[in-house]
Amino acid sequence: MRTIVSKAGKRFVSLLGILLFIGLWQGVVALHVWDTTLLPSPRQTWDAIRELAKDGILFPYVGISLYRFVLGYGLALLLAVPLGLLLGWFVKIQRIVNPVLQLLRPISPTAWFPFIVLWFGIGDAPAIAIITIAAFFPVLFSTIAAIARIDPLYLRVSDNLGFSRFQFFYKIAIPSAFPYMMIGLHIAIGTAWIFLVAGEMVGAQEGLGYLIVDARNNMRTDMVLAGIFLIGVTGWALDSLVRQFERFVAWKWGWQQRSE
């Protein structure tokens, strides 16, 4: 009963926050702080979303953005997680590679735009490459840090049980490191989604980023806000899916009750 009330309370607070935000937005519009051509009202923004749906481009544009995101984010995980496990376990290799990683880490993915366009042309590939770069480093460094936090006692226990190194990583290292790895996965969701939109603003002919640029060029500020709203909702949905995955894995490995 407490869990049900807690969930209902959290949903109410979340809904209340959204309603307050919309109310504040409508209040600013009603006070004529800016003309509605500069700041469209919530109703105008909603009408723009309905227009996108009526024209048949709402779901295709969201779909192509999600397609690019899933490919780029998945590629980042495939590259960053194994490399993070390797560097986290073999400290000597990490010390050799770390200066290069620290040099590349602060560089914004958008700084690579000129080369990415030259290498991959236009279309899906540049956006996917930008997403991969944006998600790679948060996942990599969180994985390295997670492996470094593993208690050495676990290794001695696994040796006493006769585990191979593969069994140790699969049954002990990865489960114990997973909660810390998830921190990087959550950060990577946000950064990758942000840079997806930036990537779609250069060279793409479809997607939410392209929608905003096209609406700006046509002075459709209501459509710009519609694109911004769709980006926020979709990004929130992606993060929620990752959280559900985290909870499922935690329940599967016995860290928490499924009802939580």
Side-chain angles (χ1 to χ4, degrees):
M1 181 67 180
R2 184 183 299 176
T3 302
I4 295 174
V5 173
S6 176
K7 285 184 177 180
K10 289 179 180 178
R11 288 171 183 168
F12 173 76
V13 170
S14 298
L15 179 61
L16 180 62
I18 294 172
L19 291 176
L20 286 173
F21 172 76
I22 295 175
L24 178 62
W25 177 6
Q26 181 61 49
V28 172
V29 173
L31 290 172
H32 302 288
V33 177
W34 291 287
D35 189 86
T36 53
T37 56
L38 300 178
L39 180 62
S41 67
R43 178 59 185 270
Q44 288 174 297
T45 304
W46 175 247
D47 288 342
I49 294 174
R50 293 177 60 190
E51 181 181 337
L52 289 171
K54 184 178 179 181
D55 292 342
I57 62 175
L58 173 60
F59 295 109
Y61 273 27
V62 172
I64 192 64
S65 290
L66 286 173
Y67 166 75
R68 292 164 178 161
F69 175 83
V70 170
L71 286 183
Y73 189 76
L75 182 58
L77 295 185
L78 288 175
L79 295 173
V81 171
L83 182 59
L85 294 174
L86 175 69
L87 296 180
W89 187 253
F90 296 101
V91 180
K92 291 183 179 179
I93 299 178
Q94 181 191 150
R95 289 172 181 168
I96 296 172
V97 177
N98 190 58
V100 178
L101 295 176
Q102 295 298 341
L103 176 66
L104 296 174
R105 182 183 188 180
I107 300 174
S108 170
T110 55
W112 296 102
F113 269 156
F115 289 107
I116 288 174
V117 172
L118 289 173
W119 294 338
F120 299 107
I122 60 174
D124 294 339
I128 293 170
I130 290 294
I131 296 166
T132 302
I133 296 171
F136 177 80
F137 288 104
V139 176
L140 175 67
F141 284 103
S142 67
T143 303
I144 293 173
I147 295 298
R149 296 175 67 101
I150 296 175
D151 193 330
L153 178 62
Y154 292 167
L155 180 59
R156 292 197 293 270
V157 171
S158 70
D159 289 339
N160 292 335
L161 293 175
F163 284 5
S164 65
R165 283 292 175 263
F166 175 78
Q167 289 175 317
F168 169 74
F169 268 100
Y170 177 71
K171 295 183 177 181
I172 298 177
I174 294 179
S176 62
F178 184 78
Y180 302 102
M181 293 169 61
M182 284 304 304
I183 296 173
L185 266 66
H186 283 297
I187 295 173
I189 283 278
T191 56
W193 187 245
I194 289 170
F195 283 104
L196 161 70
V197 176
E200 288 182 335
M201 288 181 174
V202 180
Q205 298 298 316
E206 293 176 301
L208 295 175
Y210 170 77
L211 170 65
I212 291 176
V213 172
D214 186 57
R216 179 202 64 189
N217 293 339
N218 289 286
M219 298 299 294
R220 289 290 306 272
T221 52
D222 57 336
M223 202 68 76
V224 171
L225 271 181
I228 291 172
F229 175 79
L230 291 170
I231 288 167
V233 170
T234 309
W236 170 80
L238 288 170
D239 188 69
S240 298
L241 284 175
V242 172
R243 291 187 186 278
Q244 290 299 321
F245 168 73
E246 181 181 8
R247 289 170 184 163
F248 172 76
V249 173
W251 168 77
K252 199 74 173 176
W253 285 340
W255 297 333
Q256 66 181 32
Q257 298 296 320
R258 191 169 192 175
S259 60
E260 297 176 356

